[in-house]
Amino acid sequence: MTEVAVVIAGALLVLVVGDLLFKKFYGVEEKADERHVTETEDGVGIALWRHTPEGVDDDEKAPVLLVHGISVGHRNMNFDGKNGVAQYLAERGYDCWCVD
């Protein structure tokens, strides 16, 4: 195995273990108003988590797309009811979509 492959394998291991520890310690529920999942031709799954504002007409909903960086997932923006960026924006009338 080359040095590059070892570094990549190590980084992936850190990401997987980090995600499992995050779930264990924070216990964040996977919550959204809607969840849409599709698979690309090469087998990669893509999910959209939607948070819709309450009491806002469809014509007045401004869409916001929240996209995470390479080392985090949708939970970074879709944390929980009081600490999530997506929930915060939805409470203020934005139609939020988190990509994962």
Side-chain angles (χ1 to χ4, degrees):
M1 206 182 269
T2 67
E3 289 179 15
V4 173
V6 170
V7 169
I8 291 172
L12 290 174
L13 180 63
V14 167
L15 291 174
V16 169
V17 171
D19 187 57
L20 293 173
L21 290 174
F22 182 89
K23 288 179 188 175
K24 179 179 179 180
F25 289 115
Y26 289 104
V28 177
E29 267 186 69
E30 302 287 350
K31 272 174 51 169
D33 297 321
E34 296 176 20
R35 182 173 181 246
H36 305 272
V37 180
T38 190
E39 190 172 302
T40 62
E41 289 180 8
D42 59 353
V44 175
I46 298 174
L48 288 172
W49 303 75
R50 185 179 189 191
H51 297 269
T52 57
E54 292 183 19
V56 179
D57 293 333
D58 286 340
D59 296 338
E60 298 175 10
K61 294 178 184 176
V64 175
L65 180 62
L66 301 171
V67 182
H68 63 78
I70 194 167
S71 64
V72 295
H74 73 278
R75 283 185 215 87
N76 195 43
M77 298 160 290
N78 182 23
F79 195 70
D80 64 20
K82 61 183 178 178
N83 297 311
V85 172
Q87 292 88 340
Y88 176 86
L89 291 172
E91 288 173 1
R92 284 150 184 80
Y94 294 93
D95 188 14
C96 292
W97 294 82
C98 299
V99 178
D100 204 14

